[in-house]
Amino acid sequence: MTGNTESTLVICGHGMVSQRLLEALCRERVRPFTRIIVFNGETSAAYNRIQLSLLLAGETTEASLALQQDEWFRNNGIEVCNGEPVVTINREDQTVTTTTGRVQPYTHLVLATGSRPAKPGLPGEDLPGVMTFRDLEDTRILIESAGRHRRAVVVGGGFLGLEAAEGLRQRGMAVTLLHRSSHLLNRQLDRIGGQILQQHMEKRGVNIRTGTAPKALLGRSTVRAVQLDDETLISTDLVLFATGIAPSAELARTAGLECDRGILVDGQLRTSDPAISALGECCQLETTTFGLVEPGYQQAEVLAGILSGSTAEAEYRPADTPTRLKISGVPIFSCGQVGAEGDTESVVWQDHEQNHYCRLLIRNQRLTGAVLLGDTRDGPWYSERILQQDDISQYRDFIAFGKNYCEAAA
């Protein structure tokens, strides 16, 4: 799609992935569109969503979250309309209509509408005081609420729930975290790793209950208690759900684009309408949806090359993306297989004093998974071994000690 005098790219959504697409387009040798317009549902231009937990904890400022300054958009001729989301798409006329009533024609449309927090559908979850932690406005509300209230219950022991619990604790709240699984971060960590992380967080003052889930939220004018599935009641002033996300596909679905859980795309990020692409957390490639920013970044680079014509035949192929986290000051790295299976060997190394833990999973003298807590410096090297599927037999005895030991042995 090469530029002509009338070509207009419209992007719905301005999150981290949308911003990466803009930056990738600006790096292209040939500018594919004479006009780029971004309609943003949030009141702030793209910011570092990963840093919201630091903002909640009082460890950073809103200003530091901005990915680019206003001057960058002006210099690159990009028009960003904050607080003006698209509400309808007219595919026949190739126009979008925003909440202000503006009708904007497009040559090509990109949907980067992200995701929304998923709630479990419990009785009482619409009560005042029941919140989610997804965007900047959520964070502002949580900071304000933490200044007025004393007790909080966080539901969900994944990355977002753990970060929220730690942030509210640092704001001075008494925090109880509930997690349905038997251990924290059950998608990224094995049982022992999850238990080590739980012990660390409990020492810092977060009360954690695993293997349990809320049954109902109780209160009249505001939430007052959480009823657990074993009928236990926990008194609280605030409940925060961090129980996963769902792709924001409503705009596409209403426009008649093919959708499943997310907006269905092919390897070139095309929807069922060739004039419309989708990427990031709102899209779905075959059966896969995307909840991390790194796949969205990869999609943005591919789509920029396709739209500019520089890599018109490129395709996005999902890869096993390593998880790099830092919870309550504890670095975590996870890649590949997490739990052992029948034909898998485990190599475990643990330093109890330093709370360092390493578990490596091996099958047929090839590394298939790595879980690291505390010391994650060798994580990228392990990830490369998993990706390359190297034969590790010559340094198998040293594999838990990392890259330097293994390369010396080889």
Side-chain angles (χ1 to χ4, degrees):
M1 183 171 295
T2 56
N4 60 59
T5 56
E6 303 296 327
S7 60
T8 301
L9 174 67
V10 171
I11 301 177
C12 298
H14 194 205
M16 296 175 72
V17 171
S18 175
Q19 180 61 30
R20 178 60 66 94
L21 174 62
L22 292 172
E23 293 174 7
L25 286 169
C26 290
R27 288 196 306 268
E28 291 291 340
R29 186 174 56 84
V30 177
R31 178 115 182 187
F33 301 96
T34 54
R35 191 178 183 198
I36 298 177
I37 305 173
V38 183
F39 292 110
N40 182 17
E42 295 192 53
T43 55
S44 301
Y47 54 85
N48 189 338
R49 196 181 302 273
I50 296 169
Q51 298 293 315
L52 287 176
S53 58
L54 296 180
L55 181 64
L56 177 60
E59 296 179 359
T60 192
T61 63
E62 283 194 17
S64 69
L65 268 59
L67 295 179
Q68 291 288 356
Q69 301 303 314
D70 293 344
E71 182 181 13
W72 184 88
F73 298 101
R74 288 195 299 270
N75 291 344
N76 286 284
I78 297 169
E79 181 183 351
V80 179
C81 307
N82 294 320
E84 188 179 354
V86 168
V87 290
T88 57
I89 301 169
N90 185 323
R91 292 167 52 199
E92 185 175 348
D93 295 342
Q94 291 198 185
T95 62
V96 298
T97 303
T98 73
T99 49
T100 66
R102 183 197 316 207
V103 177
Q104 174 61 53
Y106 63 83
T107 307
H108 196 86
L109 177 64
V110 174
L111 301 179
T113 48
S115 61
R116 64 182 188 281
K119 288 186 178 181
L122 299 178
E125 68 179 29
D126 294 327
L127 283 167
V130 180
M131 307 178 190
T132 55
F133 180 37
R134 189 67 188 152
D135 57 28
L136 184 56
E137 186 57 32
D138 289 338
T139 310
R140 290 167 177 160
I141 294 171
L142 284 169
I143 291 170
E144 188 273 334
S145 298
R148 292 186 293 109
H149 297 304
R150 189 170 57 86
R151 302 163 301 178
V153 171
V154 176
V155 183
F159 178 44
L160 200 60
L162 297 178
E163 287 199 318
E166 174 64 11
L168 292 173
R169 183 199 67 79
Q170 291 192 55
R171 289 278 173 181
M173 300 193 79
V175 181
T176 297
L177 183 138
L178 308 176
H179 189 45
R180 185 185 299 273
S181 179
S182 60
H183 66 272
L184 301 179
L185 286 181
N186 52 287
R187 293 186 178 181
Q188 292 84 21
L189 298 179
D190 62 358
R191 182 180 56 83
I192 296 174
Q195 289 173 347
I196 292 171
L197 180 59
Q198 178 173 341
Q199 291 165 6
H200 172 80
M201 293 192 69
E202 287 176 335
K203 285 180 181 178
R204 291 169 69 94
V206 177
N207 178 33
I208 297 175
R209 300 184 60 152
T210 57
T212 190
K215 179 180 178 180
L217 309 184
L218 308 179
R220 292 187 178 180
S221 59
T222 188
V223 67
R224 289 300 181 197
V226 178
Q227 182 181 11
L228 303 185
D229 47 14
D230 64 0
E231 304 303 329
T232 300
L233 291 181
I234 300 176
S235 296
T236 189
D237 307 307
L238 182 156
V239 174
L240 189 150
F241 278 106
T243 49
I245 57 174
S248 293
E250 294 77 10
L251 180 64
R253 192 172 280 113
T254 302
L257 296 174
E258 292 182 11
C259 297
D260 183 22
R261 288 172 296 148
I263 306 165
L264 292 173
V265 296
D266 63 11
Q268 292 202 311
L269 291 315
R270 291 176 297 211
T271 69
S272 53
D273 183 329
I276 304 176
S277 303
L279 78 171
E281 292 176 350
C282 68
C283 79
Q284 177 178 333
L285 178 59
E286 296 178 348
T287 60
T288 303
T289 55
F290 307 92
L292 298 173
V293 71
E294 188 58 36
Y297 282 169
Q298 296 166 7
Q299 293 167 7
E301 298 291 340
V302 169
L303 184 57
I306 292 168
L307 293 178
S308 67
S310 63
T311 52
E313 303 304 315
E315 287 198 0
Y316 167 73
R317 301 183 186 279
D320 190 355
T321 304
T323 301
R324 296 179 178 87
L325 309 173
K326 196 168 189 178
I327 306 289
S328 296
V330 179
I332 295 169
F333 183 96
S334 175
C335 185
Q337 185 179 346
V338 173
E341 297 173 355
D343 58 347
T344 306
E345 298 177 84
S346 291
V347 175
V348 177
W349 177 87
Q350 189 169 355
D351 182 335
H352 293 274
E353 281 192 16
Q354 297 295 324
N355 268 340
H356 291 176
Y357 175 73
C358 168
R359 181 178 187 178
L360 304 174
L361 296 156
I362 300 168
R363 183 188 298 117
N364 298 326
Q365 298 299 327
R366 283 164 174 77
L367 198 61
T368 61
V371 174
L372 309 175
L373 267 82
D375 185 351
T376 60
R377 288 172 294 180
D378 285 311
W381 185 77
Y382 288 134
S383 176
E384 189 177 346
R385 303 287 70 73
I386 294 169
L387 181 65
Q388 299 293 335
Q389 283 294 282
D390 304 332
D391 187 326
I392 64 168
S393 54
Q394 57 185 328
Y395 49 80
R396 165 71 170 72
D397 293 343
F398 305 96
I399 189 75
F401 302 113
K403 176 181 178 181
N404 292 339
Y405 281 88
C406 293
E407 289 185 346

